[in-house]
Amino acid sequence: MRAVSEWRNLMTSAVPVTSKLPDIGVSIFSVMTRLANEHKAINLSQGFPDFDCDPALVEAVAKAMREGHNQYAPMPGVLALREGIAAKVEQLYGPRYDPVTEVIVTSGATAGLYATLTTFVRPGDEVMLFEPCYDSYVPVIRLSGGVPVFVSLRYPDYTVNWDEVRRAMTPKTRIILVNTPHNPTGMMWSADDMRQLQSIVDGTDILLIGDEVYEHIIFDGRRHESLLRYEDLRARSVVISSFGKTFHTTGWKVGYGLGPQALMAEVTRVHQFVTFTVHTPSQMAFAEFVRRDPGAKDLSAFYQQKRDLFLQLTAGSRFKPLPCAGTYFQLMDYSAISKETDKEIAHRLIVEHGVASIPVSAFLYEDAGGPVLRFCFAKRDETLRAAAERLVKI
Ligand code: PMP
Ligand code: GLN
């Protein structure tokens, strides 16, 4: 087999290329995972479990395949799964969505976000984002000619500053994107934040997009403040989630979006030309599993144990943990160790100490950020132990 480097730069393009995203490089998650592999470092960078999903889920996919569910699913998704999602949402958050017209299954949350943003963002529209923010929002907004407007969640507590939100609002504000629980900080929006949001959007035409992929990874008895819980908010919301986080299946790329029929009719129009439809056997399996355990009832405890183990194992280190209310990410303040930038220290941690993390500045556009790195604790206990052993020596 040829080495990858031998394949590089073999072809010359005969057409000039003007990038639509000139300042966007390879995703930080790919970069750090590649570096981790190159240096054989313990990979706590990209967010994915290093343990397997329930074998019964794999068996359910295999069974669906054996039973012949191998062709296109209905474009908006397998109906049994959409029914399962609607039932789950009703049970957990209250509202009853119509599985036929108000729920779609997407190729991960990424494609759900892509379809939703491209559906609604028009040239010149302002989309309010809270930074640090997940890396897929800004490129999609720009591809649609929209303008991201950033409100900072500031180190070290990353709470929403509502005065700043009010100052950032203009007549062009078309969308506010809310990600809770929040990647990368682990912060969660409070009921008071939701009340503030209600008062801000009341009487406007602002659409809300909820990225709630970590809805089932919530710690210390907190309540997930979904946009779906609030009647006036959900009436103007498309909420996106992902089975990847909930079922330890990030590689299957199955997610979903839901919202009022008038909004979803438009999102569905776009969705059919993004992926048209999603892997049928996985949808069949998730339909069964969502029905069986709509609230993923043991997941929060499972990850809370991992968060606490990681905190306990690193307690003797010079890294200082920041509060983590949800998600499977732990921020660590490294200011007692060095004055390097987060990118420099993240690189050095891989090369010299064999532990990969994510520099939080990769999620920042305007804010300067703080001296923090993000560590993913969706890992086997022995992986966390091995990583912590290295971190305490730094
Ligand atoms: N939003 C957030 C906040 C995420 O962390 C992720 C993935 N880690 C996604 C969206 C994308 O989810 P998916 O892998 O289902 O596309
Ligand atoms: N969302 C995951 C993270 O934050 C990674 C997803 C990706 O690699 N695009 O690490």
Short mmCIF file of all heavy atoms in Angstrom, two decimals, residues 146-205:
data_model
loop_
_atom_site.label_atom_id
_atom_site.label_comp_id
_atom_site.label_asym_id
_atom_site.label_seq_id
_atom_site.Cartn_x
_atom_site.Cartn_y
_atom_site.Cartn_z
N GLY A 146 -25.03 34.62 6.08
CA GLY A 146 -25.41 35.22 7.37
C GLY A 146 -24.20 35.79 8.10
O GLY A 146 -23.05 35.55 7.71
N VAL A 147 -24.50 36.52 9.15
CA VAL A 147 -23.44 37.18 9.93
C VAL A 147 -23.51 36.66 11.37
O VAL A 147 -24.51 36.90 12.06
CB VAL A 147 -23.64 38.71 9.93
CG1 VAL A 147 -22.53 39.41 10.70
CG2 VAL A 147 -23.76 39.23 8.51
N PRO A 148 -22.48 35.92 11.81
CA PRO A 148 -22.50 35.50 13.22
C PRO A 148 -22.23 36.70 14.13
O PRO A 148 -21.34 37.49 13.86
CB PRO A 148 -21.36 34.49 13.30
CG PRO A 148 -20.60 34.56 12.03
CD PRO A 148 -21.30 35.47 11.07
N VAL A 149 -23.03 36.80 15.18
CA VAL A 149 -22.82 37.86 16.17
C VAL A 149 -22.56 37.14 17.49
O VAL A 149 -23.36 36.31 17.92
CB VAL A 149 -24.08 38.76 16.29
CG1 VAL A 149 -23.95 39.72 17.45
CG2 VAL A 149 -24.30 39.51 14.97
N PHE A 150 -21.41 37.46 18.09
CA PHE A 150 -20.99 36.67 19.26
C PHE A 150 -21.28 37.39 20.57
O PHE A 150 -21.01 38.58 20.71
CB PHE A 150 -19.49 36.39 19.18
CG PHE A 150 -19.13 35.57 17.98
CD1 PHE A 150 -18.61 36.17 16.83
CD2 PHE A 150 -19.35 34.20 17.97
CE1 PHE A 150 -18.29 35.42 15.72
CE2 PHE A 150 -19.03 33.43 16.86
CZ PHE A 150 -18.49 34.04 15.72
N VAL A 151 -21.82 36.62 21.50
CA VAL A 151 -21.91 37.08 22.88
C VAL A 151 -20.99 36.15 23.66
O VAL A 151 -21.05 34.93 23.49
CB VAL A 151 -23.36 36.99 23.40
CG1 VAL A 151 -23.41 37.23 24.90
CG2 VAL A 151 -24.24 37.99 22.66
N SER A 152 -20.14 36.74 24.50
CA SER A 152 -19.15 35.90 25.20
C SER A 152 -19.71 35.26 26.45
O SER A 152 -20.35 35.92 27.27
CB SER A 152 -17.95 36.76 25.61
OG SER A 152 -17.27 37.18 24.47
N LEU A 153 -19.43 33.98 26.58
CA LEU A 153 -19.58 33.30 27.87
C LEU A 153 -18.15 33.34 28.42
O LEU A 153 -17.26 32.75 27.82
CB LEU A 153 -20.03 31.85 27.68
CG LEU A 153 -21.33 31.64 26.89
CD1 LEU A 153 -21.53 30.16 26.58
CD2 LEU A 153 -22.51 32.18 27.67
N ARG A 154 -17.95 34.06 29.52
CA ARG A 154 -16.56 34.33 29.91
C ARG A 154 -16.02 33.40 30.97
O ARG A 154 -16.71 33.07 31.93
CB ARG A 154 -16.45 35.77 30.42
CG ARG A 154 -16.52 36.74 29.28
CD ARG A 154 -15.76 38.04 29.51
NE ARG A 154 -15.89 38.79 28.27
CZ ARG A 154 -16.97 39.47 27.93
NH1 ARG A 154 -18.00 39.54 28.74
NH2 ARG A 154 -17.03 40.09 26.75
N TYR A 155 -14.78 33.01 30.73
CA TYR A 155 -13.99 32.33 31.74
C TYR A 155 -14.09 33.14 33.03
O TYR A 155 -14.00 34.36 32.98
CB TYR A 155 -12.54 32.28 31.25
CG TYR A 155 -11.48 31.98 32.27
CD1 TYR A 155 -11.19 30.66 32.61
CD2 TYR A 155 -10.78 33.02 32.90
CE1 TYR A 155 -10.22 30.39 33.56
CE2 TYR A 155 -9.81 32.74 33.85
CZ TYR A 155 -9.54 31.42 34.17
OH TYR A 155 -8.59 31.14 35.10
N PRO A 156 -14.21 32.56 34.24
CA PRO A 156 -14.20 31.11 34.48
C PRO A 156 -15.59 30.49 34.65
O PRO A 156 -15.66 29.27 34.74
CB PRO A 156 -13.43 31.00 35.79
CG PRO A 156 -13.81 32.24 36.54
CD PRO A 156 -14.05 33.31 35.50
N ASP A 157 -16.69 31.30 34.71
CA ASP A 157 -17.96 30.60 34.99
C ASP A 157 -18.85 30.48 33.76
O ASP A 157 -19.83 29.73 33.77
CB ASP A 157 -18.71 31.26 36.17
CG ASP A 157 -18.97 32.72 35.89
OD1 ASP A 157 -18.69 33.18 34.76
OD2 ASP A 157 -19.45 33.41 36.81
N TYR A 158 -18.54 31.21 32.71
CA TYR A 158 -19.22 31.05 31.42
C TYR A 158 -20.73 31.26 31.48
O TYR A 158 -21.47 30.62 30.75
CB TYR A 158 -18.89 29.69 30.79
CG TYR A 158 -17.41 29.49 30.56
CD1 TYR A 158 -16.65 28.70 31.42
CD2 TYR A 158 -16.76 30.13 29.51
CE1 TYR A 158 -15.27 28.54 31.22
CE2 TYR A 158 -15.39 29.96 29.31
CZ TYR A 158 -14.66 29.17 30.17
OH TYR A 158 -13.32 29.02 29.98
N THR A 159 -21.19 32.13 32.38
CA THR A 159 -22.63 32.39 32.44
C THR A 159 -23.03 33.38 31.36
O THR A 159 -22.21 34.14 30.84
CB THR A 159 -23.04 32.94 33.82
OG1 THR A 159 -22.17 34.02 34.12
CG2 THR A 159 -22.94 31.88 34.89
N VAL A 160 -24.33 33.40 31.03
CA VAL A 160 -24.83 34.31 29.99
C VAL A 160 -24.98 35.70 30.60
O VAL A 160 -25.63 35.86 31.64
CB VAL A 160 -26.19 33.84 29.46
CG1 VAL A 160 -26.65 34.75 28.31
CG2 VAL A 160 -26.12 32.39 29.01
N ASN A 161 -24.37 36.68 29.95
CA ASN A 161 -24.53 38.06 30.41
C ASN A 161 -25.66 38.69 29.59
O ASN A 161 -25.51 39.00 28.41
CB ASN A 161 -23.21 38.81 30.19
CG ASN A 161 -23.30 40.26 30.64
OD1 ASN A 161 -24.37 40.88 30.57
ND2 ASN A 161 -22.18 40.80 31.10
N TRP A 162 -26.81 38.85 30.24
CA TRP A 162 -28.00 39.26 29.50
C TRP A 162 -27.95 40.71 29.05
O TRP A 162 -28.62 41.08 28.07
CB TRP A 162 -29.27 38.92 30.30
CG TRP A 162 -29.45 37.44 30.26
CD1 TRP A 162 -29.11 36.53 31.22
CD2 TRP A 162 -29.93 36.67 29.14
NE1 TRP A 162 -29.35 35.24 30.77
CE2 TRP A 162 -29.86 35.31 29.50
CE3 TRP A 162 -30.39 37.01 27.87
CZ2 TRP A 162 -30.25 34.29 28.64
CZ3 TRP A 162 -30.78 35.99 27.01
CH2 TRP A 162 -30.71 34.65 27.40
N ASP A 163 -27.17 41.53 29.75
CA ASP A 163 -27.00 42.92 29.25
C ASP A 163 -26.28 42.89 27.91
O ASP A 163 -26.62 43.61 26.99
CB ASP A 163 -26.20 43.76 30.25
CG ASP A 163 -27.01 44.00 31.50
OD1 ASP A 163 -28.26 43.98 31.39
OD2 ASP A 163 -26.41 44.15 32.58
N GLU A 164 -25.27 42.00 27.84
CA GLU A 164 -24.54 41.89 26.56
C GLU A 164 -25.45 41.36 25.46
O GLU A 164 -25.35 41.78 24.31
CB GLU A 164 -23.33 40.96 26.71
CG GLU A 164 -22.10 41.69 27.16
CD GLU A 164 -20.87 40.79 27.18
OE1 GLU A 164 -20.65 40.03 26.22
OE2 GLU A 164 -20.15 40.86 28.19
N VAL A 165 -26.30 40.43 25.82
CA VAL A 165 -27.23 39.89 24.81
C VAL A 165 -28.09 41.04 24.29
O VAL A 165 -28.23 41.23 23.07
CB VAL A 165 -28.13 38.79 25.42
CG1 VAL A 165 -29.19 38.35 24.41
CG2 VAL A 165 -27.30 37.60 25.85
N ARG A 166 -28.62 41.83 25.21
CA ARG A 166 -29.49 42.95 24.78
C ARG A 166 -28.73 43.92 23.89
O ARG A 166 -29.24 44.41 22.88
CB ARG A 166 -30.07 43.68 26.00
CG ARG A 166 -31.16 42.89 26.65
CD ARG A 166 -31.93 43.67 27.72
NE ARG A 166 -32.88 42.75 28.31
CZ ARG A 166 -32.60 41.89 29.30
NH1 ARG A 166 -31.38 41.88 29.84
NH2 ARG A 166 -33.50 41.06 29.75
N ARG A 167 -27.49 44.19 24.25
CA ARG A 167 -26.69 45.13 23.44
C ARG A 167 -26.39 44.56 22.06
O ARG A 167 -26.23 45.29 21.09
CB ARG A 167 -25.38 45.47 24.16
CG ARG A 167 -25.56 46.50 25.26
CD ARG A 167 -24.23 47.17 25.62
NE ARG A 167 -23.28 46.23 26.20
CZ ARG A 167 -23.23 45.88 27.48
NH1 ARG A 167 -24.10 46.41 28.33
NH2 ARG A 167 -22.34 45.03 27.93
N ALA A 168 -26.29 43.25 21.97
CA ALA A 168 -25.93 42.62 20.69
C ALA A 168 -27.12 42.49 19.74
O ALA A 168 -26.95 42.19 18.56
CB ALA A 168 -25.32 41.25 20.95
N MET A 169 -28.32 42.70 20.27
CA MET A 169 -29.53 42.56 19.43
C MET A 169 -29.63 43.75 18.48
O MET A 169 -29.38 44.89 18.86
CB MET A 169 -30.79 42.58 20.30
CG MET A 169 -30.80 41.54 21.36
SD MET A 169 -31.64 40.06 20.88
CE MET A 169 -33.27 40.66 20.57
N THR A 170 -30.00 43.48 17.23
CA THR A 170 -30.25 44.56 16.27
C THR A 170 -31.52 44.19 15.49
O THR A 170 -32.01 43.06 15.59
CB THR A 170 -29.08 44.71 15.26
OG1 THR A 170 -29.24 43.71 14.24
CG2 THR A 170 -27.72 44.59 15.90
N PRO A 171 -32.01 45.08 14.66
CA PRO A 171 -33.19 44.71 13.85
C PRO A 171 -32.90 43.55 12.89
O PRO A 171 -33.81 42.93 12.37
CB PRO A 171 -33.49 46.00 13.06
CG PRO A 171 -32.85 47.09 13.86
CD PRO A 171 -31.65 46.49 14.52
N LYS A 172 -31.61 43.26 12.68
CA LYS A 172 -31.27 42.15 11.77
C LYS A 172 -31.12 40.81 12.49
O LYS A 172 -30.84 39.79 11.86
CB LYS A 172 -29.95 42.46 11.05
CG LYS A 172 -30.08 43.56 10.02
CD LYS A 172 -28.78 43.62 9.25
CE LYS A 172 -28.79 44.79 8.30
NZ LYS A 172 -27.43 45.18 7.94
N THR A 173 -31.27 40.82 13.82
CA THR A 173 -31.14 39.55 14.54
C THR A 173 -32.28 38.63 14.11
O THR A 173 -33.45 38.92 14.34
CB THR A 173 -31.21 39.76 16.08
OG1 THR A 173 -30.27 40.77 16.44
CG2 THR A 173 -30.91 38.47 16.82
N ARG A 174 -31.89 37.52 13.50
CA ARG A 174 -32.91 36.63 12.94
C ARG A 174 -33.01 35.34 13.76
O ARG A 174 -34.08 34.76 13.90
CB ARG A 174 -32.51 36.31 11.49
CG ARG A 174 -33.26 35.20 10.82
CD ARG A 174 -34.60 35.69 10.28
NE ARG A 174 -35.33 34.64 9.63
CZ ARG A 174 -36.50 34.14 10.05
NH1 ARG A 174 -37.06 34.59 11.16
NH2 ARG A 174 -37.12 33.19 9.40
N ILE A 175 -31.86 34.91 14.29
CA ILE A 175 -31.81 33.62 14.98
C ILE A 175 -30.93 33.75 16.22
O ILE A 175 -29.92 34.46 16.20
CB ILE A 175 -31.19 32.53 14.05
CG1 ILE A 175 -32.08 32.30 12.83
CG2 ILE A 175 -30.93 31.22 14.80
CD1 ILE A 175 -31.50 31.33 11.81
N ILE A 176 -31.32 33.07 17.29
CA ILE A 176 -30.43 32.90 18.44
C ILE A 176 -30.22 31.39 18.60
O ILE A 176 -31.18 30.62 18.63
CB ILE A 176 -31.03 33.51 19.72
CG1 ILE A 176 -31.29 35.01 19.53
CG2 ILE A 176 -30.12 33.27 20.92
CD1 ILE A 176 -31.94 35.70 20.73
N LEU A 177 -28.95 31.00 18.66
CA LEU A 177 -28.64 29.58 18.78
C LEU A 177 -28.21 29.27 20.21
O LEU A 177 -27.25 29.85 20.72
CB LEU A 177 -27.53 29.20 17.78
CG LEU A 177 -27.43 27.72 17.42
CD1 LEU A 177 -26.70 27.53 16.09
CD2 LEU A 177 -26.78 26.90 18.50
N VAL A 178 -28.96 28.39 20.83
CA VAL A 178 -28.74 28.06 22.24
C VAL A 178 -28.23 26.63 22.35
O VAL A 178 -28.90 25.70 21.91
CB VAL A 178 -30.07 28.18 23.03
CG1 VAL A 178 -29.87 27.74 24.48
CG2 VAL A 178 -30.62 29.59 22.96
N ASN A 179 -27.05 26.46 22.91
CA ASN A 179 -26.50 25.11 23.11
C ASN A 179 -26.40 24.85 24.62
O ASN A 179 -25.59 25.42 25.31
CB ASN A 179 -25.11 25.01 22.45
CG ASN A 179 -24.33 23.77 22.83
OD1 ASN A 179 -23.12 23.80 22.98
ND2 ASN A 179 -25.02 22.65 23.00
N THR A 180 -27.29 23.99 25.09
CA THR A 180 -27.27 23.61 26.50
C THR A 180 -27.64 22.15 26.65
O THR A 180 -28.57 21.72 25.96
CB THR A 180 -28.20 24.50 27.36
OG1 THR A 180 -28.08 24.13 28.73
CG2 THR A 180 -29.67 24.40 26.98
N PRO A 181 -26.93 21.36 27.47
CA PRO A 181 -25.64 21.63 28.09
C PRO A 181 -24.59 22.00 27.04
O PRO A 181 -24.66 21.53 25.91
CB PRO A 181 -25.29 20.31 28.77
CG PRO A 181 -26.60 19.62 28.98
CD PRO A 181 -27.45 20.03 27.83
N HIS A 182 -23.64 22.80 27.47
CA HIS A 182 -22.80 23.53 26.53
C HIS A 182 -21.44 22.86 26.30
O HIS A 182 -20.71 22.57 27.24
CB HIS A 182 -22.59 24.95 27.09
CG HIS A 182 -21.79 25.84 26.21
ND1 HIS A 182 -20.50 26.20 26.50
CD2 HIS A 182 -22.10 26.43 25.04
CE1 HIS A 182 -20.06 27.00 25.54
NE2 HIS A 182 -21.01 27.15 24.64
N ASN A 183 -21.15 22.66 25.04
CA ASN A 183 -19.83 22.21 24.60
C ASN A 183 -19.06 23.45 24.17
O ASN A 183 -19.55 24.17 23.30
CB ASN A 183 -20.00 21.24 23.42
CG ASN A 183 -18.68 20.70 22.90
OD1 ASN A 183 -17.62 20.96 23.45
ND2 ASN A 183 -18.75 19.93 21.82
N PRO A 184 -17.91 23.77 24.70
CA PRO A 184 -17.02 22.94 25.49
C PRO A 184 -17.05 23.15 27.01
O PRO A 184 -16.30 22.48 27.71
CB PRO A 184 -15.64 23.40 24.99
CG PRO A 184 -15.82 24.87 24.78
CD PRO A 184 -17.24 25.00 24.25
N THR A 185 -17.88 24.07 27.53
CA THR A 185 -17.65 24.46 28.94
C THR A 185 -18.33 23.55 29.95
O THR A 185 -17.99 23.59 31.13
CB THR A 185 -18.15 25.89 29.20
OG1 THR A 185 -19.58 25.91 29.04
CG2 THR A 185 -17.52 26.89 28.26
N GLY A 186 -19.36 22.79 29.53
CA GLY A 186 -20.13 22.00 30.51
C GLY A 186 -21.12 22.85 31.28
O GLY A 186 -21.79 22.35 32.19
N MET A 187 -21.26 24.12 30.92
CA MET A 187 -22.24 24.99 31.57
C MET A 187 -23.65 24.64 31.09
O MET A 187 -23.82 24.15 29.97
CB MET A 187 -21.89 26.45 31.19
CG MET A 187 -22.86 27.50 31.65
SD MET A 187 -24.28 27.70 30.57
CE MET A 187 -23.71 28.84 29.37
N MET A 188 -24.64 24.84 31.96
CA MET A 188 -26.03 24.63 31.53
C MET A 188 -26.84 25.89 31.73
O MET A 188 -26.65 26.61 32.72
CB MET A 188 -26.66 23.50 32.35
CG MET A 188 -26.18 22.13 31.93
SD MET A 188 -26.77 20.85 33.03
CE MET A 188 -28.54 21.02 32.90
N TRP A 189 -27.73 26.15 30.80
CA TRP A 189 -28.62 27.30 30.97
C TRP A 189 -29.56 27.02 32.15
O TRP A 189 -30.03 25.89 32.32
CB TRP A 189 -29.43 27.55 29.70
CG TRP A 189 -28.61 28.21 28.62
CD1 TRP A 189 -27.35 27.86 28.24
CD2 TRP A 189 -29.00 29.32 27.81
NE1 TRP A 189 -26.93 28.70 27.23
CE2 TRP A 189 -27.92 29.59 26.94
CE3 TRP A 189 -30.14 30.10 27.71
CZ2 TRP A 189 -27.95 30.63 26.01
CZ3 TRP A 189 -30.18 31.11 26.78
CH2 TRP A 189 -29.10 31.39 25.94
N SER A 190 -29.82 28.07 32.93
CA SER A 190 -30.70 27.93 34.10
C SER A 190 -32.13 28.33 33.71
O SER A 190 -32.36 28.91 32.64
CB SER A 190 -30.20 28.84 35.22
OG SER A 190 -30.35 30.20 34.80
N ALA A 191 -33.05 28.06 34.62
CA ALA A 191 -34.45 28.47 34.39
C ALA A 191 -34.51 30.00 34.26
O ALA A 191 -35.29 30.54 33.47
CB ALA A 191 -35.32 27.99 35.53
N ASP A 192 -33.65 30.67 35.00
CA ASP A 192 -33.63 32.14 34.91
C ASP A 192 -33.14 32.59 33.53
O ASP A 192 -33.67 33.54 32.95
CB ASP A 192 -32.75 32.72 36.02
CG ASP A 192 -32.89 34.23 36.07
OD1 ASP A 192 -34.05 34.69 36.14
OD2 ASP A 192 -31.86 34.94 35.97
N ASP A 193 -32.14 31.89 32.99
CA ASP A 193 -31.69 32.20 31.62
C ASP A 193 -32.86 32.07 30.64
O ASP A 193 -33.01 32.88 29.72
CB ASP A 193 -30.56 31.26 31.18
CG ASP A 193 -29.25 31.55 31.89
OD1 ASP A 193 -28.97 32.74 32.17
OD2 ASP A 193 -28.51 30.59 32.18
N MET A 194 -33.66 31.03 30.83
CA MET A 194 -34.77 30.81 29.90
C MET A 194 -35.80 31.94 30.04
O MET A 194 -36.35 32.40 29.04
CB MET A 194 -35.44 29.44 30.15
CG MET A 194 -34.50 28.27 30.00
SD MET A 194 -33.44 28.31 28.55
CE MET A 194 -34.30 27.25 27.43
N ARG A 195 -36.01 32.41 31.26
CA ARG A 195 -36.93 33.55 31.45
C ARG A 195 -36.40 34.79 30.77
O ARG A 195 -37.12 35.55 30.14
CB ARG A 195 -37.16 33.80 32.95
CG ARG A 195 -38.24 32.90 33.53
CD ARG A 195 -38.61 33.32 34.94
NE ARG A 195 -37.56 32.99 35.91
CZ ARG A 195 -37.42 31.77 36.47
NH1 ARG A 195 -38.27 30.81 36.19
NH2 ARG A 195 -36.44 31.55 37.33
N GLN A 196 -35.10 35.00 30.88
CA GLN A 196 -34.48 36.16 30.21
C GLN A 196 -34.65 36.04 28.69
O GLN A 196 -34.96 37.01 28.01
CB GLN A 196 -32.99 36.21 30.54
CG GLN A 196 -32.68 36.43 31.99
CD GLN A 196 -32.61 37.92 32.33
OE1 GLN A 196 -32.94 38.77 31.51
NE2 GLN A 196 -32.19 38.22 33.54
N LEU A 197 -34.44 34.82 28.20
CA LEU A 197 -34.58 34.59 26.76
C LEU A 197 -36.03 34.88 26.34
O LEU A 197 -36.28 35.54 25.32
CB LEU A 197 -34.20 33.14 26.43
CG LEU A 197 -34.21 32.75 24.97
CD1 LEU A 197 -33.17 33.55 24.17
CD2 LEU A 197 -33.92 31.25 24.80
N GLN A 198 -36.97 34.42 27.16
CA GLN A 198 -38.39 34.67 26.85
C GLN A 198 -38.64 36.17 26.72
O GLN A 198 -39.26 36.62 25.76
CB GLN A 198 -39.28 34.12 27.98
CG GLN A 198 -39.43 32.62 27.95
CD GLN A 198 -40.20 32.09 29.16
OE1 GLN A 198 -39.91 32.47 30.30
NE2 GLN A 198 -41.16 31.21 28.91
N SER A 199 -38.11 36.93 27.66
CA SER A 199 -38.43 38.37 27.62
C SER A 199 -37.74 39.04 26.43
O SER A 199 -38.27 39.98 25.86
CB SER A 199 -38.05 39.04 28.95
OG SER A 199 -36.67 39.28 28.99
N ILE A 200 -36.62 38.52 26.01
CA ILE A 200 -35.89 39.12 24.89
C ILE A 200 -36.54 38.84 23.55
O ILE A 200 -36.59 39.70 22.67
CB ILE A 200 -34.43 38.64 24.93
CG1 ILE A 200 -33.67 39.56 25.86
CG2 ILE A 200 -33.79 38.63 23.56
CD1 ILE A 200 -32.23 39.34 25.91
N VAL A 201 -37.06 37.64 23.37
CA VAL A 201 -37.62 37.31 22.05
C VAL A 201 -39.11 37.65 21.95
O VAL A 201 -39.65 37.71 20.84
CB VAL A 201 -37.40 35.83 21.67
CG1 VAL A 201 -35.92 35.53 21.55
CG2 VAL A 201 -38.08 34.89 22.64
N ASP A 202 -39.73 37.90 23.09
CA ASP A 202 -41.16 38.21 23.08
C ASP A 202 -41.47 39.38 22.14
O ASP A 202 -40.79 40.41 22.20
CB ASP A 202 -41.59 38.55 24.52
CG ASP A 202 -43.09 38.69 24.61
OD1 ASP A 202 -43.81 37.93 23.91
OD2 ASP A 202 -43.57 39.58 25.35
N GLY A 203 -42.42 39.19 21.27
CA GLY A 203 -42.82 40.28 20.37
C GLY A 203 -41.91 40.46 19.16
O GLY A 203 -42.09 41.38 18.38
N THR A 204 -40.90 39.57 19.00
CA THR A 204 -40.01 39.65 17.84
C THR A 204 -40.31 38.48 16.89
O THR A 204 -41.10 37.60 17.21
CB THR A 204 -38.52 39.53 18.25
OG1 THR A 204 -38.29 38.16 18.65
CG2 THR A 204 -38.16 40.45 19.39
N ASP A 205 -39.62 38.49 15.74
CA ASP A 205 -39.73 37.35 14.81
C ASP A 205 -38.51 36.45 14.92
O ASP A 205 -38.17 35.72 13.99
CB ASP A 205 -39.82 37.85 13.36
CG ASP A 205 -41.15 38.52 13.11
OD1 ASP A 205 -42.11 38.22 13.84
OD2 ASP A 205 -41.22 39.35 12.18
#
